[in-house]
Amino acid sequence: MHPMSFEGTRSRIWRASVSVSAWVLITGVMLSACGDLGSSPAAGTFAPRTPGVLTVVTSTLPSPGFWEGTAHHPTGGLEYELARDLADRFGLKSVRIEIEHFHRIVAGRLGGADLALDLITPTSQREQSLDFSTPYLDAAPTVLVRSGQPVPDLETAQSLRWGAIRGTTFVGMIDSMIAPDQSLQLFENSPAMLAALKANKIDAVLFDLPLAVVTAGRSGGRLKTAAQLPDAESIAAALPKGSSNAQAVDSAIRAFTSDGTLDHLLHVWVGSAATNGASSIPLLHTTR
Amino acid sequence: MIVASVFPISIAGISVSSPTGPAWEFLVLFVVVIIGPPLLQRARLPGIIGLLLGGYAIGPHGLNLIGAGNTTIPDLGQVGLLYLMFVAGVELDLGLLRVHRRAVIAFGLLSFTLPMLFGTAIGFSLSWGAPAALLLGSLLASHTLLVYPAVRNAGLTTVPAVATAVGATVLTDTASLVVLAAVSGSQLDGGGPASIALQIVVGLGVLLVFTLVVLPRLARLAFRELGTDRIVRYLIAIAAFLAAATLAGSFGIEGIVGAFFAGLGLNRLVPNEGPLMDRIDFFGAAVFIPIFLVTVGMLLEPSVMIQGETLKLAALFIVASIGGKAVASGVARVRLGFSPSEAMLMLGLTVPQAAATLAATVIGFNIGLFDQSVVNAVLVLILVSIVAATLLVERAKARVPVPGKSSRNLGKRVLVALDDPRQAALAFAIGARIAAPDSGVVRGFLACPPREADAFKPQLEQLRAAGFAVGFDTDPALLVDPSLAEGVINAAAVQEPSFVLIGQRRVAAASALSSPGEAVAAYSTSPVAIVIGDATGIREVVLIETERSRDAQSDDTAVGLAAELASRIGRRRVSVRKANELPNTGELSRGQLAIAPATSWEILAASDPPTGAALLLVLEPRLPFDEAGAAEESEAGAGEPRQPAPAEVNPEARR
């Protein structure tokens, strides 16, 4: 081959390779812009206990703003919609809801459900029997009282009759941060506890801020949020210990956080009062 | 948690509770930053691995000293990531990029495209979705100049292969970040493909205009108006990348893209060897970047890392990334004519996966595209790539010859020596324009007789203010020596300037025998020029072309140097005036700077320029000793002194 011809061929190959490289880059960018938005094995795989169905366990239905309707006819709520979004992402056709006592859920008894969505705060004790996803909400413990009951300071708070749901982190929190004069009354679920509050059997309870705001808002003026405690708690999905689905649920919640899905759900089902509550509800200075 | 299980301790009524709170968390963090790297370096492993392992040790999967619910440390880590990308942009040598642009473009495209193709193919073969597969390809295609300091210390920065690899980093990392922006945009924006593409294109356009056009102007203005305080100059740089990251975020583009472009935008304003870069490097190396790496280490989960799936992924990533970079280096060696050792050096420089790779991986993780096993596989890749790169560069740098001193970086380190602070504004304006194309630094010196330093120190403030006025922190110092020439020669020996500018307010300051500038020119390997006059601004440059100019056009002569200086200082406002000898400087008008190659006789013949104008006389550069010695021996005979000693050159130059 003539040297010039060889040089020309090499030059053409070179130009072609540079051109191909540029096109690959452009195509890559365009492809990514057109790519599907769903889950892929890179984000973990989800294997439901019942094929095609996401089974979710929770303790109370309805739970204002978080689970609306009944177990057979759910009508919405942040955690219910989150469950539906999870099912969509994992390619599952439906969501089945199961009910279980809160203290049994946090003890790891999920009753065959794939996961639990029940405003659960991960703790080291609970991590012994459950796996937790990355948090999907942060919420300050908020004091809910009957309207007309002020809680301006710790001394007033200590003089109140407190109630809490068995198994929640609020039980220890009330003991250590408020240390009430009278012993704490424990309840199996939130409807029973709220009934006691309205019936003047107890004076104050703790709820996570969004739930407290929605509950007060729907009480017809009988209940109000009086104060919030320092140190917001993380709220996460709970999975059976050793679940192979943890990575997929984690990835999904990270995706829902970054793409604004969770903010949207919070806005729709809890409203701006919950997000503004952090600044409008006074802080209660506690014993620690 | 180990600490929590030990506490609380109660002895004799004294209760000690377990350490908690921000002070404890930051203490733990900084202990890792302090002891992690040296421990690993003792085991002959890169210090970065110490930070990653330290992060694991204190993180939720280790001792859980910093729990999963902590948001402060990860937030600080995110700022560290932005900082890292900003530093990557600001440190890139744009001068080298310009000189070797063809090789840079070719190698940059190859070293991006091949790993990108291999990585994307691996993603698809694993049944990943298109966004995840493309993001994998892009993160394997990027690289970080982690072993560049070793190459720089070996004096190989001007080797074309090194310059090519360094310049290619701009392309590979920019292309990777563009893919990252596209992928993350596609995940975060709920619109259709067309609106997502439009959003990204418009967002990138706005970002490029802001970072490369608006930001440098704003920063230059801020440096001039507010930047007399060094803390403020540093904070301006921080604010610049945070602003760019915020703007990027507003368009759904990841903040690191904005931070990287902000670095490119401020590249010329923050010279690599300047005091501001020192501060950026210092805080980055001491706080922000280690914290980012520690937070990445907190993601490490050994139980996942040693799983078969993770190791399989890691092996595939290693083949795609290092294999792609190796093929790119091999092709570039054949096509661009590099030696095998140079190709190995290029490979060593482009193999390390760290900053951009981590950034893309963490973002892929945060937006739910990647799970823990992908993150851990990438971390295995990072460990392997760093070790491989270290070994490759160590082998290659011993075989690549160290090049001689380059004459192209005239503005890399400009030394300005004055004996009258009234010339500071003019001299620093000239120095700044010479330094700008090379992203160089300007150092200022004020000559001062021995035992009079205290009296001269207040005048340094004048020099400092004049430097800040042209956007440079000249970090002025006193040059204490009985002779200006000797003082400059001594300073030049320490500073190794690329160019020396000596101030001389009046022509009469030079004697019939010689000027301090000539003495310096005789003994310094750096080009030297003398600026005469006290103009405060430069409106136009007049390049004087004498008979001698037409006889000697080489770049290595005073004539060539004068032409280059005219181009740098005057930019587009250069006029050429032909003359048989130096013109009457009285003809110059206000704002004009005449530049001419000159000898001492010509200096004497020249008259003082009128008020507001100035004259820059470029002296003949000294030949290297061996060449000069040989030339003179043949002409003058052995035993004759080649050059008079500085003190002998010009007794008048002594104070």
Side-chain angles (χ1 to χ4, degrees), chain B residues 152-171:
Chain B
R152 185 171 56 191
N153 292 342
L156 299 173
T157 50
T158 52
V159 169
V162 174
T164 301
V166 171
T169 305
V170 182
L171 285 184

Side-chain angles (χ1 to χ4, degrees), chain B residues 94-178:
Chain B
L94 299 182
L96 284 178
L97 190 68
R98 195 173 54 243
V99 171
H100 301 286
R101 57 185 175 277
R102 282 176 189 277
V104 163
I105 291 169
F107 184 60
L109 279 173
L110 279 170
S111 63
F112 169 77
T113 307
L114 293 173
M116 172 85 200
L117 279 175
F118 295 167
T120 307
I122 284 172
F124 282 128
S125 71
L126 293 170
S127 306
W128 291 9
L134 285 162
L135 188 59
L136 174 68
S138 78
L139 70 87
L140 298 183
S142 67
H143 59 258
T144 303
L145 295 170
L146 212 69
V147 291
Y148 182 67
V151 176
R152 185 171 56 191
N153 292 342
L156 299 173
T157 50
T158 52
V159 169
V162 174
T164 301
V166 171
T169 305
V170 182
L171 285 184
T172 56
D173 285 10
T174 305
S176 292
L177 293 175
V178 167

Side-chain angles (χ1 to χ4, degrees), chain B residues 289-308:
Chain B
I289 295 170
I291 288 177
F292 164 63
L293 294 168
V294 172
T295 57
V296 172
M298 287 165 64
L299 298 172
L300 284 173
E301 197 173 346
S303 60
V304 178
M305 274 177 101
I306 57 168
Q307 284 174 358

Side-chain angles (χ1 to χ4, degrees), chain B residues 259-501:
Chain B
F260 180 71
F261 283 126
L264 288 180
L266 296 195
N267 189 290
R268 289 192 187 286
L269 293 175
V270 186
N272 279 353
E273 297 180 30
L276 180 55
M277 192 67 218
D278 268 357
R279 250 159 257 134
I280 289 172
D281 270 343
F282 175 80
F283 284 105
V287 182
F288 292 109
I289 295 170
I291 288 177
F292 164 63
L293 294 168
V294 172
T295 57
V296 172
M298 287 165 64
L299 298 172
L300 284 173
E301 197 173 346
S303 60
V304 178
M305 274 177 101
I306 57 168
Q307 284 174 358
E309 177 66 15
T310 305
L311 293 176
K312 187 184 92 180
L313 284 176
L316 290 170
F317 295 174
I318 290 166
V319 168
S321 176
I322 300 181
K325 299 288 184 188
V327 175
S329 299
V331 173
R333 182 181 84 79
V334 173
R335 179 58 192 147
L336 300 172
F338 292 117
S339 71
S341 300
E342 287 174 326
M344 192 192 293
L345 198 56
M346 290 167 79
L347 177 60
L349 279 167
T350 54
V351 154
Q353 304 282 313
T357 307
L358 273 179
T361 308
V362 170
I363 287 162
F365 180 75
N366 286 339
I367 62 177
L369 274 181
F370 295 153
D371 68 3
Q372 197 82 39
S373 60
V374 176
V375 174
N376 281 284
V378 169
L379 289 170
V380 173
L381 162 70
I382 288 170
L383 299 183
V384 171
S385 73
I386 292 170
V387 173
T390 308
L391 297 174
L392 281 167
V393 166
E394 286 303 315
R395 281 176 71 94
K397 76 181 185 189
R399 299 176 186 176
V400 175
V402 178
K405 200 171 180 181
S406 168
S407 62
R408 289 183 180 275
N409 296 328
L410 192 64
K412 206 69 188 168
R413 273 187 297 277
V414 177
L415 191 154
V416 175
L418 304 172
D419 59 3
D420 188 335
R422 283 173 293 181
Q423 272 196 301
L426 172 64
F428 286 145
I430 292 172
R433 293 190 186 189
I434 294 170
D438 295 319
S439 303
V441 290
V442 181
R443 280 298 310 271
F445 287 94
L446 181 63
C448 157
R451 291 181 294 279
E452 290 181 36
D454 287 344
F456 275 72
K457 274 179 187 168
Q459 297 186 10
L460 287 179
E461 278 312 308
Q462 270 180 272
L463 266 67
R464 198 183 310 280
F468 282 133
V470 291
F472 275 76
D473 183 350
T474 56
D475 198 15
L478 288 177
L479 204 58
V480 182
D481 201 288
S483 153
L484 174 62
E486 278 191 72
V488 175
I489 290 166
N490 291 338
V494 177
Q495 301 282 329
E496 295 184 344
S498 55
F499 181 76
V500 178
L501 180 65

Side-chain angles (χ1 to χ4, degrees), chain A residues 14 32 37 41-42 89 247 251 254, chain B residues 106 127 186 365 368 370-372:
Chain A
W14 182 245
S32 70
L37 305 180
R89 181 176 164 99
Q247 296 280 339
S251 299
R254 287 195 304 272
Chain B
S127 306
S186 75
F365 180 75
F370 295 153
D371 68 3
Q372 197 82 39

Side-chain angles (χ1 to χ4, degrees), chain A:
Chain A
M1 185 185 281
H2 191 276
M4 287 300 286
S5 161
F6 178 67
E7 196 55 39
T9 305
R10 281 213 318 187
S11 187
R12 278 196 299 278
I13 292 170
W14 182 245
R15 276 199 299 273
S17 67
V18 168
S19 172
V20 166
S21 301
W23 277 109
V24 165
L25 173 62
I26 293 164
T27 309
V29 173
M30 293 308 292
L31 259 177
S32 70
C34 302
D36 69 87
L37 305 180
S39 180
S40 90
T45 49
F46 190 92
R49 296 228 169 154
T50 306
V53 178
L54 178 68
T55 310
V56 183
V57 64
T58 191
S59 64
T60 307
L61 234 139
S63 175
F66 287 82
W67 291 94
E68 307 283 5
T70 64
H72 294 297
H73 299 288
T75 55
L78 188 148
E79 288 185 331
Y80 172 66
E81 294 294 346
L82 175 60
R84 283 179 45 139
D85 285 338
L86 285 170
D88 279 350
R89 181 176 164 99
F90 301 143
L92 307 177
K93 291 176 183 168
S94 63
V95 174
R96 185 165 68 217
I97 303 165
E98 291 182 356
I99 306 294
E100 186 56 271
H101 285 301
F102 187 84
H103 63 90
R104 289 173 65 85
I105 292 175
V106 294
R109 296 174 193 166
L110 300 189
D114 294 309
L115 54 94
L117 291 174
D118 201 12
L119 291 172
I120 304 171
T121 298
T123 64
S124 52
Q125 189 185 355
R126 290 171 181 173
E127 279 173 353
Q128 290 173 8
S129 48
L130 290 167
D131 280 342
F132 285 96
S133 71
T134 195
Y136 58 84
L137 208 59
D138 284 319
T142 301
V143 181
L144 191 69
V145 294
R146 285 184 302 282
S147 296
Q149 171 65 63
V151 189
D153 50 33
L154 181 62
E155 200 174 18
T156 309
Q158 286 173 330
S159 68
L160 300 176
R161 294 167 296 164
W162 285 82
I165 298 170
R166 190 189 307 277
T168 61
T169 50
F170 298 140
V171 175
M173 204 176 281
I174 292 169
D175 273 341
S176 63
M177 298 177 78
I178 294 170
D181 299 335
Q182 298 180 45
S183 58
L184 182 65
Q185 294 184 42
L186 296 178
F187 298 87
E188 289 299 323
N189 52 46
S190 58
M193 187 171 71
L194 287 172
L197 181 62
K198 287 173 184 170
N200 201 19
K201 290 179 181 168
I202 54 174
D203 300 318
V205 300
L206 277 185
F207 271 143
D208 289 308
L209 191 142
L211 183 58
V213 168
V214 178
T215 303
R218 294 190 190 177
S219 69
R222 295 174 68 187
L223 303 177
K224 68 164 188 176
T225 50
Q228 59 177 315
L229 304 193
D231 302 333
E233 291 190 310
S234 296
I235 291 164
L239 294 96
K241 190 71 185 168
S243 169
S244 60
N245 295 329
Q247 296 280 339
V249 175
D250 263 355
S251 299
I253 290 176
R254 287 195 304 272
F256 295 157
T257 305
S258 59
D259 69 7
T261 299
L262 280 165
D263 277 346
H264 174 71
L265 291 179
L266 193 65
H267 179 74
V268 169
W269 293 104
V270 181
S272 56
T275 43
N276 296 337
S279 55
S280 62
I281 301 172
L283 188 68
L284 181 68
H285 294 283
T286 57
T287 54
R288 68 168 171 84

